[in-house]
Amino acid sequence: MDMIKRRDPGGDSPAVDHSPAPGSGDEPRPGTLELYGGRWAALIPAAVLVIVLAWLSVAERAAVSSFWVGGFLALVVGLLLARDKQQYSEAVTRGLTSGTGAVIIMAFLFAGIFGTLMKSGGLVAGLLWVGDTAGVTGGVFVGLAFLLSCLFAAGTGTSVGTVLALAPVLYPTGLFLGAEPVWLALAIIAGGAFGDNIAPVSDTTITSAFTQDARMGTVVRSRLPLAVTAAAVSLVVLVVMGGGGERVPTQDLAIDADPLGLVMLLPFAVVIGLALMRHHIIVSLTAGILTAVVLGAVTGLMPLSTLFSIPSERGESTGLLEDGISGVTAVVILVLLIMALAQVFAESGLMQSVLEKLRRSAARGVRSAELAIVGISILFTIPLGANAPAILLVGPTIAKPLGESHGLSPQRRANLLDCAVCTVFYMLPWHNAVIVWFATVTGVAAELDLPAPGIGAAFLNPYAWALLVVLLVSVLTGWNRYAGMSRAERAEAEQRHAGGTGAARAA
């Protein structure tokens, strides 16, 4: 999921977040919110949310608006467990009004508009023309969809923005060209996960580098072998599994192949280019939206009247801008509920208790230390609706002191954290990225009367699985452990690890 993006002007210095850290200043400290049953009782509201989501998913009735019920019930149960109802209510309010949540919601709104304009501006028709002309069909198109999603996400640093912007275009196009629906949908979220994992402007990249005092440029360069290897494996899987779908007749889509629609690739390039120049995601998306508006008006593909006009009757849509915003409102409400619940989780002190127990039983060897960092990071992504907060919890409290005591470089610690939180997080149906993916794909499918996967299909996310395997291989074999080190630093670290002279081992 996406948090506040911080620019790194130097390009090779740690990204510094100057916002107040949780627990500092006027922020309540972990453990100040008391619950009946103690800190561990905070698991009960989380369990309520997970049970509702899982129940709806198993019954194949999952929808974002139905997930609201789980979030609401979780907050109500938490209120009943709180010893001080006023304090609980204030914690919920802090979660609803957090800066992180505000940026996420704004990114959702702008990405929703951008995706709507791309679809309405004829990009689907342009890609259909390419597919028909070049024979890019079935599994090949699924692979292309994955690469486009990787490119977009790597440039923008937002997995949910990638899904919101590209799914309305790539999903119907792929089904027309004979792609298998489940694997086509997975290609889009898999590409988003890749971007979250590797983009310099991604919240996880920034947070992992900052918490380990690592240089951003070194972190990205040293992480590339891990991310690209996982992406290559994912590409093969998607191409092989992505074919075999039934081609949807053009008349069923009410779309004609038209090469003119390819001009809408320019706004796409504008967004990626500005993001790579480290502009804020909202700045990048706004520039893309304005470029799309101008191109649509000049070419006649999207007259200005389609963007906004006074409707003939009250309640009717005013145009594409309204449609783009309304398409993400269900997700926005769910994000608010999850952010409120996450705040209760943090202030209850549950996470701090778990971290303290894990630190007391910390690993002794370099390999087991790395496994501990990976395992604990994954563990903390499971109950949370965002993966960057897991890094904020584990990074300074466990990964940094444990890694330093075993001679792990800052970039290695950052890479272990970031790769770990981009695995299981992109599989579980109660996580925001998966919910946004499911809502967007099913919304597009319903609009065009096309088949759509269930939310449980996220468990097949090929990039998440491939990255998990690559990460474990890296830990067990030592591959990429010394990436980004000078020759002298590497020799010293290798000697230390071979001799087992880590501080923890010596103790």
Side-chain angles (χ1 to χ4, degrees):
M1 200 163 91
D2 306 295
M3 294 176 63
I4 299 175
K5 309 293 188 292
R6 302 287 178 184
R7 294 185 63 184
D8 172 20
D12 200 34
S13 59
V16 178
D17 187 341
H18 296 288
S19 59
S24 64
D26 296 329
E27 284 290 320
R29 295 186 304 275
T32 56
L33 178 63
E34 296 184 359
L35 304 175
Y36 291 109
R39 295 178 174 184
W40 294 93
L43 288 173
I44 298 175
V48 170
L49 173 62
V50 172
I51 289 170
V52 172
L53 266 62
W55 188 4
L56 289 168
S57 299
V58 170
E60 297 184 352
R61 297 295 184 272
V64 174
S65 55
S66 62
F67 291 162
W68 297 343
V69 177
F72 173 74
L73 291 177
L75 293 177
V76 170
V77 170
L79 178 63
L80 296 177
L81 291 171
R83 292 181 180 273
D84 187 331
K85 312 301 182 188
Q86 177 71 20
Q87 188 181 18
Y88 178 88
S89 301
E90 291 172 355
V92 168
T93 303
R94 277 189 289 274
L96 292 173
T97 57
S98 71
T100 294
V103 173
I104 292 169
I105 289 169
M106 288 302 295
F108 280 4
L109 296 177
F110 279 72
I113 293 173
F114 183 76
T116 298
L117 295 184
M118 290 297 94
K119 182 178 67 174
S120 301
L123 186 53
V124 173
L127 292 176
L128 286 177
W129 178 82
V130 171
D132 272 344
T133 304
V136 181
T137 60
V140 177
F141 185 86
V142 172
L144 177 62
F146 173 65
L147 293 176
L148 288 174
S149 299
C150 285
L151 180 63
F152 188 92
T156 62
T158 165
S159 57
V160 292
T162 298
V163 170
L164 288 167
L166 299 189
V169 175
L170 297 178
Y171 191 73
T173 305
L175 291 189
F176 168 73
L177 295 172
E180 202 285 324
V182 169
W183 292 97
L184 174 60
L186 286 171
I188 299 172
I189 191 173
F194 171 85
D196 190 18
N197 183 207
I198 199 65
V201 292
S202 165
D203 57 348
T204 59
T205 303
I206 292 172
T207 306
S208 62
F210 171 60
T211 60
Q212 303 308 305
D213 295 328
R215 293 183 178 274
M216 183 65 70
T218 305
V219 165
V220 173
R221 287 193 297 271
S222 61
R223 190 176 301 159
L224 271 174
L226 302 172
V228 171
T229 300
V233 173
S234 303
L235 179 61
V236 173
V237 171
L238 289 166
V239 171
V240 172
M241 302 296 294
E246 295 184 5
R247 293 186 59 146
V248 178
T250 320
Q251 58 269 25
D252 291 350
L253 282 176
I255 298 172
D256 294 322
D258 185 358
L260 183 59
L262 294 175
V263 299
M264 284 297 163
L265 288 173
L266 181 57
F268 180 87
V270 168
V271 173
I272 294 176
L274 290 177
L276 289 174
M277 294 168 63
R278 298 178 183 166
H279 288 280
H280 195 286
I281 182 58
I282 292 177
V283 174
S284 303
L285 286 170
T286 300
I289 289 169
L290 294 177
T291 304
V293 168
V294 172
L295 287 174
V298 170
T299 60
L301 291 171
M302 195 165 52
L304 293 177
S305 59
T306 64
L307 299 175
F308 176 81
S309 61
I310 303 299
S312 57
E313 295 183 12
R314 185 190 302 271
E316 291 184 351
S317 173
T318 59
L320 296 177
L321 298 180
E322 179 184 338
D323 293 343
I325 295 173
S326 63
V328 298
T329 51
V331 176
V332 167
I333 293 174
L334 185 59
V335 167
L336 288 172
L337 292 171
I338 290 177
M339 293 296 295
L341 186 60
Q343 188 70 20
V344 172
F345 227 62
E347 293 188 24
S348 70
L350 170 64
M351 308 299 273
Q352 190 65 28
S353 294
V354 174
L355 287 171
E356 289 170 359
K357 289 180 180 295
L358 291 171
R359 287 191 67 178
R360 286 197 295 267
S361 58
R364 293 187 175 274
V366 63
R367 185 180 291 111
S368 58
E370 290 192 341
L371 284 173
I373 293 172
V374 170
I376 294 167
S377 300
I378 292 175
L379 176 66
F380 277 89
T381 62
I382 293 175
L384 296 175
N387 51 1
I391 295 177
L392 287 172
L393 285 168
V394 178
T397 59
I398 290 183
K400 188 175 182 180
L402 183 59
E404 286 179 339
S405 69
H406 288 82
L408 293 176
S409 66
Q411 62 269 15
R412 177 62 173 180
R413 302 193 305 266
N415 291 341
L416 292 173
L417 286 166
D418 196 292
C419 291
V421 302
C422 288
T423 57
V424 173
F425 177 80
Y426 282 100
M427 303 180 196
L428 300 179
W430 56 86
H431 287 165
N432 284 334
V434 176
I435 292 171
V436 171
W437 165 77
F438 171 74
T440 307
V441 170
T442 53
V444 173
E447 180 182 346
L448 298 172
D449 195 24
L450 299 171
I455 195 169
F459 284 107
L460 299 174
N461 187 330
Y463 185 78
W465 281 109
L467 184 61
L468 180 59
V469 172
V470 167
L471 185 57
L472 291 176
V473 169
S474 176
V475 169
L476 295 175
T477 65
W479 170 56
N480 202 247
R481 180 173 292 153
Y482 307 107
M485 285 185 169
S486 66
R487 184 174 299 179
E489 290 172 334
R490 174 168 182 163
E492 180 182 352
E494 287 178 332
Q495 183 179 10
R496 181 178 184 181
H497 297 155
T501 58
R505 180 183 293 272

